[in-house]
Amino acid sequence: MATARPDTLQPRKQPRQARSAVTVAAILEATIQVLLRDGAPQLTTTRVAARAGVSVGTLYQYFPNKQALLYAVLQQQLEAVAATVETACRQHRGQPLADMSDGLVNAYIDAKTTNIKASRALYLMAAEFDTADLLGEISRRIDRAMTAMLATASDVDLPRLPTVTFALRATLAGTVRVVLERGATPAMLKMLRSELPAMCRAYLAAATQRPRAANA
Amino acid sequence: MATARPDTLQPRKQPRQARSAVTVAAILEATIQVLLRDGAPQLTTTRVAARAGVSVGTLYQYFPNKQALLYAVLQQQLEAVAATVETACRQHRGQPLADMSDGLVNAYIDAKTTNIKASRALYLMAAEFDTADLLGEISRRIDRAMTAMLATASDVDLPRLPTVTFALRATLAGTVRVVLERGATPAMLKMLRSELPAMCRAYLAAATQRPRAANA
DNA sequence: ACCTGAACACCGTTCAAGT
DNA sequence: ACCTGAACACCGTTCAAGT
């Protein structure tokens, strides 16, 4: 009884023919373009349809309302971030805690800053409607990947894993968001690249209880 | 050439008589109430005016547009947060670094969680228009207060103060925001109260170079 | 000096008609 | 099966008229 996405946000129908799949892709792409070029207030369904080269009616054949459209775009991007983090976590299993931390932090920053403008646009969109369920799902995926990685640290034992994972994810997501929303100047990004790894490493070290038997 | 607030967001006129001051206060209060009870999509100027007991025309006499109204509400709340942080920073001057850190973190969490519903509502509002200048102004106030405090730590010397302050503020703002936006359950708040101080303390300790001469 | 509320422009959404 | 676009309801904003 928890995660089901409200019906009103479900895509209205699956494209069954090649041309309609193209149409849907064009609409999603047009949404980001309009948001980026014209800004949130100008993000009207008519304008999106026009840029996608279709009529409003066509847009509403695939998305029951404007929110469902934004939801679909947001979902695309968040899943890309989750996938990036999952890969990084898999790659760093069994390594020392500090290496894991750095790997995770850098992967997360990478994922969010490869397309800064798009990321900023998504923060704006995400606030325009209820994204709790989508964010919850993605958060759980990331938490799972992080927890699985942290449990395999080669040098230390990390207690209270759920709590520590939550704090770590909140810090990653929060700081990166603050930087992106405040303009993400080169200076800010540089600080992110140096301080966020330092912060996470220091926190994880403080959260560690006892060094592993072997090479302490 | 930086901080001037755009004219369109300026209150249209100052209330000159007692009754109009009451009107403005009622409109601001009604805005929060409507946002909290009916949600962002139902936050229409007509509805706000109705709840405030005036007509739409009256609302537009004091606020040139809907954004200016939201801007004013946001400004009120952010200034309260800044004031709280400034007080805390003044109180903890000259103390050991760990005490400063805890005092700052707790003051910030206090300020943002005394009225959780209102804080969440504000995050929604802040995304609906350009709040860069307002957020920048408040951020600078908080940075100044934090830097002034951190420079007086009794036990250590903290180098790279601007960078460290920025990272600390981003962490505070970011994590608290993540928690509030994800529902701020008691469990999440408990984790915030325990992990955020630990995180900031660990980071500051790691950022410290050399212990002060006297009592190290 | 302050307030009212009908009127206007515009946006989200629908649906009858087309291919 | 997919697309069109005029039509409808509703919201932000204005302004002539009131006290």
Side-chain angles (χ1 to χ4, degrees):
Chain A
M1 73 202 213
T3 50
R5 185 166 55 168
D7 279 354
T8 32
L9 293 183
Q10 294 280 11
R12 183 163 267 171
K13 70 183 196 185
Q14 308 301 331
R16 306 216 166 168
Q17 295 187 4
R19 64 170 160 163
S20 62
V22 170
T23 300
V24 168
I27 291 172
L28 292 176
E29 176 60 28
T31 304
I32 294 186
Q33 284 186 16
V34 171
L35 190 58
L36 252 36
R37 298 188 197 186
D38 307 338
Q42 321 298 337
L43 185 72
T44 66
T45 49
T46 314
R47 199 178 278 226
V48 168
R51 182 170 286 275
V54 297
S55 82
V56 232
T58 299
L59 188 157
Y60 277 93
Q61 233 179 332
Y62 295 102
F63 302 96
N65 49 55
K66 188 182 171 183
Q67 289 195 353
L69 174 63
L70 301 182
Y71 193 102
V73 174
L74 187 62
Q75 187 171 34
Q76 259 192 357
Q77 306 267 343
L78 286 181
E79 271 174 4
V81 171
T84 302
V85 171
E86 283 170 342
T87 300
C89 285
R90 228 176 292 119
Q91 284 173 342
H92 291 277
R93 283 195 188 176
Q95 298 193 359
L97 189 61
D99 294 344
M100 285 181 166
S101 180
D102 289 354
L104 172 66
V105 171
N106 284 317
Y108 192 86
I109 297 179
D110 286 347
K112 287 282 190 184
T113 58
T114 31
N115 192 343
I116 291 178
K117 292 183 79 175
S119 291
R120 295 186 69 185
L122 287 171
Y123 285 128
L124 292 181
M125 278 186 19
E128 281 188 15
F129 58 104
D130 186 21
T131 52
D133 57 333
L134 180 55
L135 290 177
E137 193 186 316
I138 298 293
S139 298
R140 254 173 274 120
R141 265 180 71 180
I142 293 181
D143 273 3
R144 225 177 294 132
M146 283 172 58
T147 305
M149 175 183 72
L150 293 174
T152 69
S154 65
D155 53 346
V156 294
D157 239 3
L158 206 51
R160 303 181 307 130
L161 259 188
T163 300
V164 170
T165 302
F166 182 97
L168 205 59
R169 179 173 51 71
T171 301
L172 283 179
T175 49
V176 171
R177 178 178 190 149
V178 165
V179 166
L180 283 173
E181 285 189 341
R182 300 292 328 283
T185 63
M188 293 170 100
L189 289 173
K190 197 181 161 200
M191 137 15 236
L192 202 60
R193 288 282 183 190
S194 71
E195 303 308 303
L196 191 50
M199 171 107 50
C200 293
R201 246 185 279 124
Y203 169 65
L204 286 174
T208 297
Q209 237 162 17
R210 48 204 155 94
R212 271 275 168 74
N215 50 346
Chain B
M1 72 199 209
T3 50
R5 183 166 54 166
D7 277 353
T8 34
L9 293 183
Q10 295 278 14
R12 183 162 267 170
K13 70 182 195 184
Q14 308 302 330
R16 305 216 166 166
Q17 295 186 3
R19 62 170 163 165
S20 63
V22 171
T23 300
V24 168
I27 292 172
L28 292 176
E29 175 60 27
T31 305
I32 295 187
Q33 283 187 17
V34 171
L35 190 59
L36 251 35
R37 299 187 196 187
D38 307 338
Q42 321 297 338
L43 185 72
T44 67
T45 49
T46 314
R47 199 179 279 227
V48 168
R51 181 170 287 276
V54 297
S55 83
V56 233
T58 299
L59 188 156
Y60 278 92
Q61 231 179 332
Y62 296 101
F63 303 96
N65 50 54
K66 188 182 172 184
Q67 289 194 354
L69 174 62
L70 301 182
Y71 193 103
V73 174
L74 187 62
Q75 188 172 33
Q76 258 192 357
Q77 305 268 341
L78 287 180
E79 271 174 5
V81 170
T84 301
V85 170
E86 284 171 342
T87 301
C89 285
R90 228 175 292 119
Q91 283 173 343
H92 291 275
R93 283 195 188 173
Q95 298 194 358
L97 189 60
D99 293 344
M100 285 181 167
S101 180
D102 290 353
L104 172 65
V105 172
N106 283 316
Y108 191 87
I109 297 179
D110 286 347
K112 288 282 190 182
T113 57
T114 32
N115 192 345
I116 291 179
K117 291 183 79 174
S119 291
R120 295 186 68 186
L122 287 171
Y123 285 128
L124 292 180
M125 278 183 21
E128 282 188 15
F129 58 102
D130 187 20
T131 53
D133 58 332
L134 179 55
L135 290 177
E137 193 187 316
I138 298 293
S139 297
R140 253 173 276 119
R141 266 181 70 181
I142 292 182
D143 273 3
R144 224 177 296 132
M146 283 173 58
T147 304
M149 174 182 72
L150 293 173
T152 69
S154 65
D155 52 346
V156 293
D157 239 5
L158 207 51
R160 303 183 306 130
L161 257 189
T163 300
V164 171
T165 302
F166 182 97
L168 206 58
R169 180 173 50 71
T171 302
L172 282 179
T175 49
V176 171
R177 176 176 191 154
V178 166
V179 166
L180 283 173
E181 285 190 341
R182 301 294 327 285
T185 63
M188 292 169 100
L189 289 174
K190 198 182 158 196
M191 151 348 253
L192 202 60
R193 287 283 182 190
S194 71
E195 303 309 303
L196 191 51
M199 171 111 43
C200 293
R201 247 185 278 126
Y203 169 66
L204 286 174
T208 297
Q209 237 163 18
R210 49 202 155 94
R212 271 272 169 73
N215 50 347

